[in-house]
Amino acid sequence: MNDPIIVVGSGLAGYTVARELRKLDRQAPLIMVTQDSGDFYSKPTLSNAFAQRKSPEQLVTTLAEGMAGQLDMTLLKSTRVTSIDTAARVVASTVGEHRYRALVLAVGADAICLPLAGDGAGDVLSVNDLADYARFRAAVGAARRVAVIGAGLIGCEFAIDLAGAGYAVTVGDPTAYPLANLLPEAAGRSLIGPLENAGVIWRFGRSVSSVDRIQGGYRLTLDDGSTLDADAVLSAVGLRPRTALARAAGLAVNRGIVVDPYGCTSSEAVFALGDCAEYGGTVLPYVAPIMNGARALAQTLAGTPTAIVFPPMPVVVKTPACPVAVLPPPRGAAGKWRVVENGEGVKMTYTDVDERLQGFALTGAKAAQRQAMVRLLPG
């Protein structure tokens, strides 16, 4: 019997590459190994489920057994991969050893944990998967005030969703405006007012140094000595690719697991996809790169080597009080941002030294121009 293709991870990346492979090859033995339940859900829905009052169970679209049946594969759920022997092409797990013909690491990323002081630091929550969402939903069930640490994409999405669900939300961040790592300043500042009007309170220019338990909740102490009280605390300061397994196996690792244009790691027959992978020095923790990468990788796994080509992929932020669509300029691009339109949102363009469009940022009503802006990019 042929050795199987093994996919490690049951998130969007793992399931998408398995689904795309099955469109091309129904016969190849396929094993998925996941330390989670294996139930399929859309991770982006975690940050806008509170206002819709959705339970964790309601976010699941297909149970693990259904996915295994649809994809005609062996699903090893609640199973952890402990090591990879790339020379022998063997994966060791908590339920035994498994030989592979090809191995796909779709292990995702971990929420970054801040080094906070205080006896309440261990109670700070993050939401990175369905189990986290269940814990956070239980923690805020009787809360009125929620403090969100981080004004990036996930922090802003959770803040507006929680405010819409009736919570008093305060967001703290050491930067000067929302989405500072994604948007140029004029575009980022255009979110402040609309989200304030929706109920979000901002504390910019300050970082949290400690979280202490007080009667009925928590007290956050900021780096200037000021304090903020809340009934629950959510940390949303970013993700760090899971690279420990790959590093231990001797694979090349930088910020993420380094892959070539075909998604292959530094070891033949081992591939990486999704939040854990690093493409040309860049980690792309968004849905569109996963979908594009999975389609190309499935072709390669089915016997037709296919390079992963990323088309222009604007990032859409789920902040309905002020929608956002942004296409950051290419890594290392030389150019400048400029405001093109201001009013009911901001439209900004990034042009290179030859005045060619290389990126854009759209907020508010201007976000509806996303597809039109993509069509203006040079071919």
Side-chain angles (χ1 to χ4, degrees):
M1 182 176 178
N2 294 332
D3 288 332
I5 296 170
I6 297 180
V7 178
V8 183
S10 61
L12 181 64
Y15 270 131
T16 302
V17 74
R19 185 179 288 120
E20 293 296 326
L21 175 65
R22 281 299 182 235
K23 293 177 182 178
L24 304 168
D25 186 344
R26 295 296 305 184
Q27 305 303 318
L30 180 61
I31 297 174
M32 179 174 286
V33 185
T34 177
Q35 61 186 6
D36 299 322
S37 68
D39 297 334
F40 182 74
Y41 67 97
S42 175
K43 185 176 177 181
T45 63
L46 297 176
S47 60
N48 68 338
F50 275 88
Q52 300 175 47
R53 292 177 168 79
K54 287 192 174 181
S55 67
E57 294 75 18
Q58 290 174 312
L59 295 181
V60 173
T61 56
T62 309
L63 294 173
E65 292 72 19
M67 294 300 296
Q70 288 177 21
L71 298 171
D72 191 19
M73 68 180 185
T74 299
L75 177 60
L76 303 177
K77 60 183 182 179
S78 303
T79 301
R80 184 172 60 86
V81 172
T82 55
S83 65
I84 302 167
D85 184 336
T86 58
R89 296 194 179 185
V90 171
V91 167
S93 77
T94 50
V95 299
E97 293 188 343
H98 322 274
R99 290 187 56 82
Y100 64 84
R101 170 168 67 86
L103 175 64
V104 179
L105 300 178
V107 294
D110 290 312
I112 295 172
C113 295
L114 294 173
L116 300 171
D119 61 4
D123 298 341
V124 174
L125 297 160
S126 59
V127 178
N128 192 37
D129 56 31
L130 201 61
D132 288 343
Y133 174 74
R135 284 188 289 271
F136 186 61
R137 193 169 184 270
V140 302
R144 294 181 299 106
R145 305 162 299 171
V146 180
V148 178
I149 304 174
L153 186 151
I154 299 301
C156 286
E157 289 188 348
F158 266 105
I160 193 67
D161 193 55
L162 289 165
Y167 295 93
V169 181
T170 302
V171 179
D173 196 284
T175 64
Y177 60 91
L179 301 172
N181 291 329
L182 191 60
L183 292 178
E185 185 168 357
R189 287 191 177 277
S190 72
L191 274 76
I192 294 175
L195 268 66
E196 281 181 344
N197 293 337
V200 177
I201 299 171
W202 302 106
R203 296 287 291 271
F204 289 117
R206 299 270 68 91
S207 59
V208 177
S209 55
S210 65
V211 178
D212 293 284
R213 297 189 183 102
I214 58 173
Q215 182 66 34
Y218 301 92
R219 177 159 294 159
L220 289 71
T221 300
L222 309 186
D223 57 0
D224 63 351
S226 63
T227 61
L228 166 65
D229 292 349
D231 304 313
V233 184
L234 172 68
S235 176
V237 295
L239 299 174
R240 180 175 291 115
R242 291 175 178 151
T243 59
L245 183 64
R247 191 185 301 275
L251 303 179
V253 170
N254 188 29
R255 183 180 170 199
I257 303 170
V258 177
V259 298
D260 69 10
Y262 295 86
C264 190
T265 69
S266 57
S267 180
E268 184 183 13
V270 181
F271 302 83
L273 178 70
D275 294 1
C276 66
E278 181 177 319
Y279 306 90
T282 303
V283 175
L284 300 170
Y286 307 110
V287 172
I290 289 175
M291 305 303 287
N292 280 277
R295 284 190 287 268
L297 180 52
Q299 292 278 353
T300 297
L301 294 173
T304 304
T306 303
I308 298 172
V309 178
F310 294 120
M313 299 177 293
V315 178
V316 177
V317 186
K318 302 189 297 294
T319 46
C322 185
V324 173
V326 55
L327 181 70
R331 182 183 176 88
K336 60 182 178 181
W337 284 103
R338 68 184 67 177
V339 176
V340 178
E341 297 176 17
N342 199 341
E344 295 188 13
V346 171
K347 175 180 179 179
M348 298 185 67
T349 59
Y350 186 95
T351 53
D352 62 20
V353 293
D354 296 318
E355 295 298 313
R356 293 175 300 185
L357 182 67
Q358 298 293 325
F360 57 82
L362 309 169
T363 70
K366 305 295 189 297
Q369 301 178 30
R370 170 168 54 99
Q371 292 303 328
M373 293 299 297
V374 169
R375 290 193 289 270
L376 294 176
L377 292 165

